[in-house]
C-alpha cells in the first residue's frame, strides 16, 4: 500500500530517510523535514544557497544495529546507498551537498549548522567511510577532495584528480581502505586511501559523456562478496570483482519493445527494439544479497550469487 506523507511546494531533487525522519532537498536550497510517525509535523525551510544535490541523515541512536564501528552511525541517502558518519552525539545529523560550493553538517530537527566546508566548485556528492574517519567529496570539476574526520570536524588531507570531467558519485569499500569516484566522461576511478594512489580506472560499457556517463557507484557493503557496481546514464549497469578488478559483468536494464517500423530482412515480422531507460539510482541490500536498480518507472532487483562469490567458483556475479 502507498500513503502520502505530505505535499511539497517545491520540486524535490534529493531525499533521505533514517530513523523517524524523512528529509527532502529542493532546487533552491529548500529542506523539508518530517517525522514518519507524524507527517503533519513537516517543516520547510530555505537554507540559502542553491540546489541541494545530495542529503544524508543518520538513524536515531535507538535504531542503530548492535554491532557497529566505534563512534559511528549509519547514514542513508536518496534511496540508493548508505554511508556512515561519526556519531558520539544525542541528536541526528544531516549532511547536505549544495550547488553553492558547500557541504554542511546540520542538526535534526533544528537544522542548525554544525560544520560548513567551502569548495571552489558546486558539490554533487560526499561519502563518509564506514569507520567514520574519512570523507571524500566530488563536484563539477575533476578534482576529488579527501578529508580526515574526527567528531564533527573535518581536515583536508589531499586533492586528487579523477578523470577529465565532473564527478557525480563516490563511495567507500566496507574496509574503509578503497574509495571509488564515478565521472561524467564515463570513467570510474578507484584509489587506495593508504597510498593515495590510483589502483585502477574503469570505463563504462557505452563509453563517453552522453549515455555512458557514470551516475552512481557503490561498493557491496557487507560480507565476502567484494563487488563494485556502477550505473551509466542509460540502460547499463557494470558489476566488477574488486578482488582483482579484472572480472566484470554488464547488465542491460532497458526494456525490449516492438517497433512499428518494418524489419527489411524479415518484413512480415515485428521489429524488436531495445529501448534506452534512464537509470535513477543504484543500491546493494545491506547484506549484499541483492542489487537494486532504479529506473524512471520501476525498481529492479538482481540477486547476487553469494555462494559462488564465497566459493570463488561462479562464472557470473548476478
Amino acid at each position: 500500500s502507498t500513503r502520502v506523507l505530505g505535499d511539497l511546494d517545491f520540486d524535490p531533487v534529493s531525499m533521505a530517510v533514517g530513523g523517524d525522519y524523512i528529509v527532502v532537498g529542493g532546487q533552491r536550497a529548500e529542506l523539508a523535514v518530517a517525522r514518519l510517525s507524524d507527517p503533519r509535523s513537516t517543516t520547510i525551510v530555505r537554507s540559502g544557497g542553491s540546489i541541494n544535490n545530495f542529503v544524508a541523515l543518520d538513524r536515531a541512536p535507538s535504531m542503530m544495529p548492535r554491532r557497529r564501528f566505534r563512534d559511528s552511525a549509519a547514514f542513508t541517502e536518496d534511496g540508493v546507498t548508505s554511508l556512515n558518519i561519526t556519531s558520539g552525539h544525542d541528536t541526528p545529523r544531516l549532511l547536505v551537498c549544495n550547488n553553492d560550493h558547500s557541504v554542511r553538517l546540520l542538526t535534526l530537527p533544528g537544522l542548525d549548522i554544525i560544520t560548513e566546508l567551502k569548495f571552489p566548485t558546486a558539490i554533487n556528492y560526499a561519502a563518509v567511510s564506514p569507520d567514520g574517519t574519512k570523507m571524500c567529496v566530488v563536484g563539477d570539476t575533476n578534482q576529488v577532495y579527501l578529508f580526515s574526520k574526527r567528531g564533527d570536524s573535518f581536515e583536508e588531507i589531499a586533492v586528487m584528480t579523477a578523470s577529465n570531467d565532473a564527478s557525480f558519485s563516490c563511495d567507500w569499500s566496507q574496509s574503509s581502505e578503497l574509495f571509488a569516484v564515478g565521472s561524467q566522461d564515463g570513467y570510474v576511478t578507484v584509489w587506495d586511501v593508504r597510498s593515495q594512489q590510483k589502483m585502477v580506472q574503469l570505463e563504462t560499457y557505452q563509453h563517453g559523456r552522453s549515455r555512458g556517463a557514470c551516475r552512481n557507484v557503490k561498493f557491496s557493503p557487507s560480507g565476502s562478496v567484494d563487488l563494485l557496481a556502477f550505473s551509466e546514464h542509460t540502460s547499463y549497469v557494470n558489476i566488477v570483482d574488486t578482488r582483482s578488478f579484472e572480472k566484470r559483468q554488464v547488465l542491460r536494464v532497458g526494456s525490449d519493445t516492438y517497433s512499428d517500423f518494418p524489419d527489411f530482412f524479415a518484413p512480415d515480422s515485428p521489429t524488436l527494439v531495445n529501448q534506452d531507460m534512464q537509470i535513477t539510482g543504484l543500491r546493494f541490500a545491506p547484506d549484499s544479497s541483492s542489487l537494486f536498480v532504479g529506473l524512471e518507472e520501476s525498481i529492479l532487483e538482481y540477486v547476487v550469487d553469494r555462494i559462488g562469490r564465497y566459493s570463488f567458483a561462479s562464472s557470473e556475479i548476478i
Side-chain angles (χ1 to χ4, degrees), residues 21-36:
Y21 287 101
I22 180 169
V23 180
V24 179
Q27 293 186 353
R28 298 185 178 181
E30 302 97 338
L31 287 172
V33 182
R35 292 184 181 272
L36 295 174

Side-chain angles (χ1 to χ4, degrees), residues 3 6 12 28 48 57 67 76 127-128 141 163 186 220 237 254 277 280:
R3 64 185 177 121
R28 298 185 178 181
L57 62 116
R67 184 180 183 275
T76 51
V128 177
T141 69
S163 56
S220 54
V237 171
M277 301 290 288
T280 60

Side-chain angles (χ1 to χ4, degrees), residues 14-167:
S14 54
M15 182 176 68
V17 180
D20 191 37
Y21 287 101
I22 180 169
V23 180
V24 179
Q27 293 186 353
R28 298 185 178 181
E30 302 97 338
L31 287 172
V33 182
R35 292 184 181 272
L36 295 174
S37 59
D38 182 16
R40 293 172 298 178
S41 65
T42 301
T43 299
I44 298 178
V45 301
R46 270 71 179 177
S47 58
S50 183
I51 303 173
N52 287 320
N53 289 316
F54 169 85
V55 293
L57 62 116
D58 70 344
R59 302 183 183 101
S62 61
M63 297 294 291
M64 291 302 301
R66 178 177 298 177
R67 184 180 183 275
R68 60 175 181 170
F69 289 96
R70 184 171 62 86
D71 292 336
S72 70
F75 264 69
T76 51
E77 45 96 5
D78 53 0
V80 296
T81 193
S82 64
L83 37 124
N84 295 304
I85 197 162
T86 301
S87 182
H89 47 73
D90 296 327
T91 59
R93 303 301 205 226
L94 178 68
L95 187 70
V96 180
C97 298
N98 194 278
N99 256 20
D100 69 353
H101 302 191
S102 74
V103 173
R104 297 183 181 94
L105 187 65
L106 311 175
T107 62
L108 278 177
L111 298 177
D112 298 316
I113 296 178
I114 302 169
T115 302
E116 182 176 32
L117 304 173
K118 298 297 288 186
F119 299 85
T121 188
I123 299 302
N124 296 321
Y125 208 98
V128 177
S129 60
D131 65 5
T133 65
K134 298 171 286 289
M135 180 175 72
C136 59
V137 178
V138 298
D140 279 355
T141 69
N142 63 348
Q143 292 184 311
V144 180
Y145 301 90
L146 182 64
F147 289 82
S148 64
K149 187 176 185 309
R150 187 177 182 86
D152 291 330
S153 300
F154 299 84
E155 181 181 356
E156 185 178 294
I157 55 178
V159 179
M160 293 159 284
T161 301
S163 56
N164 295 315
D165 212 334
S167 299

Side-chain angles (χ1 to χ4, degrees), residues 6 18 44 48 66 114 123 143 170 174 221 238 240 269 284 297-298:
I44 298 178
R66 178 177 298 177
I114 302 169
I123 299 302
Q143 292 184 311
C170 55
Q174 60 178 300
N238 300 256
V240 178
S269 302
F284 281 98
E297 298 180 351
S298 62

Side-chain angles (χ1 to χ4, degrees), residues 215-238:
R215 301 299 188 189
N216 299 277
V217 56
K218 307 297 171 197
F219 282 96
S220 54
S222 60
S224 301
V225 175
D226 303 325
L227 297 176
L228 173 68
F230 55 92
S231 65
E232 305 183 17
H233 181 61
T234 61
S235 303
Y236 288 93
V237 171
N238 300 256

